[in-house]
Amino acid sequence: YQRRVHGDYSFGKMSEMMTFNIDEGYTEALVRCMKKTFLDEEDYNALKSATNLIDFRTALEATDYEEVLQNEPSPIPAARLQTILKQKLADDLNYLQSQASSPLNDFIDLMRHGYMIDNTVYIIEGIKNKVEFADLLKRTDPLGDFPGMKTLKAAENENYANVYQTVLIDLPVGQYFHKFLEGILIGAPNKDISSIETVMKDYTQEKTKNLLKKIWLTELNKFCTTKFSGPSREIMEDLLRFESDCMRIQIIYNSIGNKELSQSIGREAERKKYIHSLGDLYPGRDKELTDANTLDKLKAAVAPYDVYKRMLENVADPSKEKEQDFNSEGKSIDDYMFEEKAKKYALAYEQQFHCACFYAYMKLKEQEIRNICWLAELVTLNTAKNVFGWKKIVVPFKDIYQHP
């Protein structure tokens, strides 16, 4: 991985790799052993052959998930299955973190902050919409659980200003909300904290999460560049640049054909809120991407980068309503990105003596859970086996060196 991306190592970098085992050798050995737990092609074929959820469960129990399914009544709905599998992943990460020393244990905590942001925004918006707090907690992502999550109940009788000022300030993700509020208040007529209630009316739940994730990704990259060195730093920088570029492409893709963003000034201003300077596309392709108001222009903007060119080669044109969700093969832009991301994460396992494999493990397991729940939905709907949807799964470590 490193020779392909970054060139040959110097003696200094080799020495860093040799000292890695002093602190994290055991923990890295654990996460590399966990690679054996990933479902392979044969496992997925067994799941695909199921004709009902009971058969599906039987096939899944032949994998590493057997233990967590034992006490569950049959059949297990896809939504419940997702919670069970994500809880297992969260428990695995907790165990790895308990065996790690600094800075790896801090890194594992930080890489889960994105899920904590999802949970926090979801709970706050649910409270504002009068959803029972107990019901909200049941629907949160186990990967984003944190001890102070129940304190969000205090937001039930508070306005936005008090929630962000008193409730969120002490949470693990409080720093991101603080920076988020500073950013949105810049353009407000009244920059006092009391104007949050008014300003927040312009931000949907999805917009709020996207802005917070932008801040989090920047902080995660900052951590990796300041706390890590050698392979850990270089591989994580490469992964985060790639993720950042994918976010940039998707934001632009989703805004194409948006009637509310038909004017170039409004379009550019809205995009810039969510796009940051990480990634390989900035600043070299910034102007071309800024001017991209059609799918063809977006394709031309990323054409110098083979991986991004492949992603967009067969996607549906978002400006044409009939093509808006999937192309003729039933794939969306998300599907193409999942495939390319899985290759990147799998390659992170190639090099040894680094912390990036922990991040790769979490991301690949999340993709595996996505695969399983997708197939469970198809079984539930009794979908015909010749439908393309059965092929819409991403198997990690398969053909990672091959490109179409």
Side-chain angles (χ1 to χ4, degrees):
Y1 182 100
Q2 290 296 320
R3 283 193 294 272
R4 286 194 298 276
V5 178
H6 303 290
D8 291 333
Y9 282 114
S10 64
F11 176 77
K13 290 180 179 178
M14 289 297 295
S15 65
E16 290 173 353
M17 292 165 62
M18 288 187 288
T19 59
F20 180 84
N21 278 348
I22 296 174
D23 293 320
E24 307 301 351
Y26 174 69
T27 317
E28 188 193 23
L30 287 175
V31 79
R32 291 191 178 279
C33 285
M34 289 178 176
K35 180 182 176 181
K36 296 181 180 179
T37 67
F38 283 100
L39 274 62
D40 58 22
E41 196 79 48
E42 185 178 343
D43 295 321
Y44 282 116
N45 287 336
L47 293 175
K48 290 176 185 179
S49 67
T51 56
N52 55 61
L53 286 180
I54 295 177
D55 292 344
F56 190 88
R57 173 186 179 147
T58 301
L60 194 57
E61 284 181 336
T63 70
D64 186 57
Y65 293 110
E66 178 184 11
E67 185 175 345
V68 296
L69 298 176
Q70 284 181 349
N71 297 323
E72 288 292 320
S74 290
I76 306 175
R80 173 59 184 160
L81 185 61
Q82 182 183 47
T83 301
I84 295 170
L85 303 189
K86 283 225 171 182
Q87 184 60 61
K88 182 184 185 310
L89 175 54
D91 292 341
D92 289 344
L93 290 172
N94 288 339
Y95 177 69
L96 289 171
Q97 189 171 11
S98 71
Q99 303 300 313
S101 58
S102 184
L104 177 57
N105 54 1
D106 297 324
F107 173 63
I108 294 175
D109 192 46
L110 186 58
M111 70 188 198
R112 295 177 66 177
H113 280 187
Y115 306 98
M116 295 181 193
I117 289 172
D118 288 340
N119 283 349
T120 303
V121 173
Y122 172 74
I123 290 174
I124 291 174
E125 291 301 315
I127 287 173
K128 295 305 176 184
N129 291 318
K130 309 300 181 183
V131 180
E132 287 292 328
F133 188 75
D135 292 335
L136 291 172
L137 286 180
K138 291 177 184 177
R139 299 171 194 159
T140 55
D141 188 336
L143 286 174
D145 284 351
F146 54 92
M149 201 157 66
K150 291 183 179 179
T151 64
L152 289 170
K153 185 175 174 57
E156 287 182 326
N157 301 312
E158 300 284 357
N159 58 33
Y160 271 118
N162 289 337
V163 168
Y164 288 109
Q165 195 171 17
T166 61
V167 179
L168 297 179
I169 193 69
D170 294 324
L171 298 183
V173 292
Q175 57 173 315
Y176 311 122
F177 283 91
H178 178 71
K179 292 181 179 180
F180 164 70
L181 292 177
E182 284 185 337
I184 66 173
L185 287 175
I186 290 176
N190 179 10
K191 294 177 175 54
D192 187 80
I193 195 76
S194 61
S195 65
I196 291 177
E197 187 83 25
T198 303
V199 175
M200 283 301 297
K201 291 179 180 178
D202 296 329
Y203 289 87
T204 63
Q205 180 176 334
E206 201 60 34
K207 286 183 176 180
T208 301
K209 283 199 298 185
N210 287 340
L211 283 169
L212 288 165
K213 292 283 188 71
K214 171 187 173 181
I215 298 168
W216 163 71
L217 196 63
T218 302
E219 291 300 314
L220 180 58
N221 184 69
K222 180 180 177 182
F223 179 94
C224 293
T225 56
T226 57
K227 301 296 184 180
F228 289 155
S229 60
S232 295
R233 171 176 175 170
E234 294 174 356
I235 298 175
M236 276 308 303
E237 281 187 311
D238 182 66
L239 292 176
L240 295 180
R241 282 199 305 270
F242 182 74
E243 288 188 11
S244 177
D245 284 341
C246 287
M247 288 173 62
R248 188 183 186 95
I249 291 170
Q250 190 158 40
I251 288 168
I252 295 172
Y253 177 85
N254 291 339
S255 68
I256 293 173
N258 188 329
K259 295 179 180 179
E260 295 180 3
L261 300 176
S262 57
Q263 298 297 320
S264 61
I265 296 177
R267 181 177 63 247
E268 292 170 18
E270 188 67 14
R271 286 176 179 176
K272 285 182 178 179
K273 288 181 183 179
Y274 309 101
I275 293 173
H276 46 64
S277 57
L278 288 178
D280 295 323
L281 294 173
Y282 183 89
R285 307 302 293 172
D286 189 52
K287 184 181 186 307
E288 290 81 359
L289 288 166
T290 299
D291 294 339
N293 59 354
T294 67
L295 179 58
D296 287 338
K297 288 184 178 179
L298 177 57
K299 289 180 177 180
V302 302
Y305 298 86
D306 289 341
V307 62
Y308 305 134
K309 183 179 178 181
R310 285 198 304 273
M311 280 183 188
L312 296 175
E313 193 170 14
N314 297 309
V315 296
D317 190 334
S319 66
K320 298 177 181 177
E321 292 185 8
K322 292 183 179 180
E323 298 181 16
Q324 205 150 13
D325 294 325
F326 302 106
N327 64 5
S328 59
E329 292 185 330
K331 284 188 177 182
S332 67
I333 188 172
D334 289 332
D335 295 318
Y336 288 110
M337 286 185 174
F338 288 149
E339 290 174 0
E340 296 296 341
K341 285 179 180 179
K343 292 176 185 177
K344 278 278 188 180
Y345 300 138
L347 283 171
Y349 263 94
E350 295 293 284
Q351 177 68 34
Q352 292 184 318
F353 313 119
H354 65 84
C355 295
C357 57
F358 294 87
Y359 186 77
Y361 172 77
M362 181 184 74
K363 290 293 187 176
L364 288 172
K365 272 296 178 180
E366 190 179 20
Q367 177 61 52
E368 180 174 273
I369 294 169
R370 193 181 296 116
N371 290 342
I372 294 170
C373 293
W374 172 259
L375 293 177
E377 290 284 6
L378 293 180
V379 171
T380 302
L381 296 171
N382 197 25
T383 306
K385 299 298 183 181
N386 61 346
V387 172
F388 184 84
W390 291 100
K391 298 180 181 180
K392 281 179 57 174
I393 60 171
V394 182
V395 184
F397 311 107
K398 177 189 175 185
D399 303 328
I400 59 176
Y401 302 110
Q402 296 180 12
H403 299 303

